Amino acid sequence: MSVTEKTELLVTDFTEFPDHTQLPDSDGTFVKNFQELPQSILLTTSVRPILDQIHPDGQYCIGQDSGIYWRVAQPPEPPEKGAEAPDWFYVPDVPPTLDGNMRRSYVMWKELIPPLIILEFVSGDGSEERDKTPRKGKFWIYERIIRPAFYAIYEVKKAQVEVYHLVEDRFELAAPNNRGHYPIAQIGVELGIWQGVYQGVELPWLRWWDDLGTLLLAAEEQAEKERQRRIEAELRIQALEARLRELEGG
């Protein structure tokens, strides 16, 4: 990384730099397709129990289609040109709120801690997510400026996820393990593709597993599992009561 690149973030006097309350929380574009919201919910609700164990003090945040501001846009550019808006990202060791308010965006020059993982959901041909054009391309900005430890590109049409790991200042394409998953060792989970039904739709969904290969359930999946357990327990009790009545009658 050149000295010029570093100065975009490594500035010691931030007094004149805007914070998350002064920057737009949207670029005004539409969500690209109807899968993005349930996909984000699935990822978030299934991994939260793991993150809550890792951060018992609650010091982490998850962004969903939220802006990461990495530079201050200069007029006549609109302020949001200084941000990228990943479909999903997780930042460790930062508060989920600021001054008692929900975050509107994540401002790198205010907190300096990069996300551990950034996920992008491809709606087009994937060229936007792989664009390495200096200072403009999404891939370049993530690799050279925002610098998450992991960057994943999920393509539902191809039923695949491409995972990059930051190694010595550059993204390297990661290899899957023997389960076809990509370990995120820092939080003890694996990322991969699961073919199944979620919220009534069958798709190759992007999902988490624990480090033993057990699928992490979303909130509604866990609730349904508990409901089925209760039903099965009630049926067993009813069967035992019926058997006892038979024995007493005999």
Side-chain angles (χ1 to χ4, degrees):
M1 181 178 287
S2 69
V3 172
T4 303
E5 292 162 9
K6 285 184 178 179
T7 57
E8 299 222 47
L9 280 179
L10 300 183
V11 179
T12 56
D13 183 5
F14 296 132
T15 56
E16 299 302 320
F17 279 50
D19 64 18
H20 75 116
T21 65
Q22 300 165 304
L23 292 163
D25 58 0
S26 171
D27 62 3
T29 60
F30 292 107
V31 173
K32 296 186 178 103
N33 63 60
F34 282 20
Q35 189 215 355
E36 288 192 12
L37 179 59
Q39 177 63 80
S40 292
I41 293 171
L42 175 57
L43 289 166
T44 298
T45 62
S46 59
V47 81
R48 269 201 185 280
I50 298 291
L51 299 181
D52 288 343
Q53 291 178 15
I54 295 171
H55 305 281
D57 57 0
Q59 297 298 288
Y60 71 92
C61 73
I62 291 174
Q64 300 172 125
D65 200 29
S66 302
I68 299 177
Y69 278 87
W70 60 277
R71 70 180 179 93
V72 178
Q74 299 300 313
E77 286 185 307
E80 58 268 24
K81 287 297 183 181
E84 288 296 328
D87 292 307
W88 195 96
F89 63 93
Y90 152 68
V91 188
D93 303 320
V94 297
T97 60
L98 294 176
D99 300 322
N101 298 312
M102 291 297 296
R103 293 175 179 274
R104 293 169 52 88
S105 56
Y106 189 75
V107 183
M108 293 289 292
W109 58 79
K110 289 291 183 181
E111 299 183 83
L112 302 179
I113 298 176
L116 177 72
I117 183 166
I118 285 177
L119 307 178
E120 289 282 3
F121 312 153
V122 172
S123 288
D125 61 3
S127 58
E128 178 184 353
E129 291 76 14
R130 297 180 177 90
D131 188 352
K132 299 180 182 179
T133 305
R135 299 183 179 278
K136 294 182 179 179
K138 187 171 295 232
F139 191 101
W140 189 94
I141 291 168
Y142 289 156
E143 179 185 51
R144 308 293 288 276
I145 304 295
I146 298 178
R147 300 168 54 75
F150 296 92
Y151 172 43
I153 302 171
Y154 163 56
E155 297 188 76
V156 65
K157 292 179 181 178
K158 296 181 180 179
Q160 72 175 30
V161 60
E162 192 173 285
V163 178
Y164 293 88
H165 183 31
L166 190 68
V167 179
E168 295 182 355
D169 297 335
R170 293 294 182 272
F171 281 149
E172 290 187 3
L173 188 62
N177 61 16
N178 57 9
R179 289 188 282 267
H181 303 159
Y182 296 88
I184 311 297
Q186 291 91 329
I187 54 176
V189 300
E190 299 175 356
L191 186 67
I193 300 296
W194 174 82
Q195 182 71 40
V197 178
Y198 176 67
Q199 293 195 1
V201 180
E202 180 166 359
L203 284 173
W205 297 93
L206 186 63
R207 298 203 61 161
W208 306 106
W209 286 258
D210 67 18
D211 53 9
L212 298 177
T214 302
L215 184 68
L216 300 182
L217 300 182
E220 60 265 53
E221 291 175 321
Q222 187 63 45
E224 176 61 21
K225 183 177 179 180
E226 293 300 323
R227 189 181 74 86
Q228 290 295 331
R229 283 177 179 171
R230 288 195 299 271
I231 291 173
E232 291 170 4
E234 290 171 1
L235 290 174
R236 286 195 296 270
I237 291 171
Q238 291 172 8
L240 286 171
E241 289 175 343
R243 180 58 179 160
L244 284 172
R245 288 194 295 271
E246 289 177 4
L247 293 173
E248 289 171 355

